[in-house]
Amino acid sequence: MKKILFFTSILFAITAYATPATQLHQQAVASAHPAATQAGLSVLNQGGNAFDAAIAVSAALAVVEPFGSGLGGGGFWLLHRQHDGKQVMIDGREVAPLAATRDMYLDSQGEPIKNASVDGALAAGIPGLPAALDHLAKHYGVLALSDSLQPAIKLAKDGFLVNEHYQRLAKFRQAVLASNDSAKAIFLSDGKVPALGTNIIQNDLANTLQLLATQGFDGFYSGELADKLVKGVQQAGGIWTKEDLARYTVKERLPVVAHYKNIKVTSAALPSSGGLVLSIALNILEQYDLSTMDEATRIHVVVEAMKRAYRDRALHMGDSDFVSVPVSELSEKSYAHTISKDLRLDEVTPSQHISGLNEIEGHDTTHFSVIDKRGNRVAATLSINYPFGSGFVPQGTGVLLNDEMDDFSIKPGTPNVYGLVGGEANAIAAGKRMLSSMSPTFIETEEKVGVLGTPGGSRIISMVLLGILDAEQGHSPESWVNLPRYHHQYLPDVIQHEPDTFKAETLLELTEKGHKLKSVGRHYGNMHAVLWDKKSNKLVAASDRRGSGAAIVESVPLSTAK
Ligand code: DON
């Protein structure tokens, strides 16, 4: 591939196309937790727009899904503002601390130190979520940040009840949670997984949210709270400084836009690989008529497309503020045609190398989708990375820190917790953002607008891809979010799938084409989607059956619709 340098770090949003004023008489929120969905709806009902609702949902999820996302983490918020058609990705991704170095997780022999980028204070990047919420309120919301944060503050004070999902993930991360006094006191009961129905109250987190509510960015990134965060991290062997916090900057990025048949797909830009990987896979798949293929051939072709797109992720992608990524070439249809010339319908193209996969059973991160009565929309995927992040809470803050540093390539060719390999483009550097797979996405045709996304580590992008292909077939959000799932990420060279995705004969046919298949043993992902059918002017929302989320469409009385 020609190495024409093309930087994606565009700090200004584009205006896609102006759209006429919209009156929907409905609003919808789909998120991973009923309390977070309610928080979003209550802010909409106070006169907030989709962006205020996004603040409320993000903050509520930080309270009631502490294992998935939070103030100690980051995320991407894809926005569409209806009155002027502006589309932008708010990048609140964590950054590597200024004292971070390329080999910081390697021992003197150059080998990765077990769990150093996953457990404890050294694994945490500088959080971006609080700054992103402040940015959303200042630039896109109509309510004060303090209003949009109220539901989360109340939830933190009143508590939420432990469910089975919480128990499963707390068990998975019990050892690391128990090793930190603050995390142990908040998330475990006497060091054990709390019983079902235990009420988890987070008073320190409520105070931290209150500081953010009243002081905005400075409430988190400077002053008393910043002192506590830095002190706690340093005492536990981490390398954060107050300068790291003070210098954190939210970026506005131009989303990646791809066209698949009659669908415009808008998704996350670098430092998420999501949009580009989707665009490469869709450009390959557009050459085929998937609807006329038998099931095994269709799955084979989709897998071969995933494999090639994830190969480019491993080879070329990283934070485009630090490395040059050939974004325009990777996005061209002609490039997809070139890399799929060797794609045979009857036979697998093997990935070049085989590497081990670290199995992970605990899944987290979170996604939500919102459309308000004006047609504004938000797709947001937020994370602290591994379940319960680094498992570390600096004393007196209630902030559970991420372990997003593991999303860097800590050593070329060494798989991270999702089995992803990377190279130079995603090496650690001070102040750099680690490559992500989070893919909040919009899909649009003349008649319909869809908002979707999911957690699931490396499998996020393939889940969104399957959702888009399903939408193209005219199916509903209910179908997108509940589809049986399969995934290929180039390395390891194996189709990963849910236990019941394939019929026996399809499995056999795929094996005959040369595929290796591996059931991941459980269901994965937790997709939440909203669809606006412009013809009927109705919204439809759906939450993945695999999770315990809530998708709610509410009617907005005509008299209150602004
Ligand atoms: O940014 C990323 O790609 C990962 N940190 C997301 C982690 C994730 O989705 C975990 N979920 N199951």
Side-chain angles (χ1 to χ4, degrees), residues 93 363-365 383 385 404 407 418 436-438 455-457 460:
R93 182 68 162 166
H363 270 195
D364 239 86
T365 295
S383 183
N385 199 29
E404 219 79 63
D407 277 348
Y418 305 106
S436 174
S437 302
M438 292 189 284
I460 291 174

Side-chain angles (χ1 to χ4, degrees), residues 83-127:
H83 77 82
D84 61 359
K86 180 177 181 176
Q87 295 196 326
V88 61
M89 182 183 94
I90 306 303
D91 169 359
R93 182 68 162 166
E94 298 89 333
V95 300
L98 294 168
T101 54
R102 182 194 164 87
D103 296 337
M104 63 187 279
Y105 299 112
L106 304 183
D107 64 17
S108 53
Q109 264 76 54
E111 291 308 318
I113 303 164
K114 199 165 188 296
N115 295 334
S117 60
V118 180
D119 294 344
L122 191 62
I126 305 304

Side-chain angles (χ1 to χ4, degrees), residues 533-550:
D533 183 337
K534 290 186 183 169
K535 244 178 150 181
S536 63
N537 207 21
K538 288 268 185 309
L539 298 179
V540 181
S543 280
D544 204 318
R545 269 187 231 125
R546 299 161 179 89
S548 42

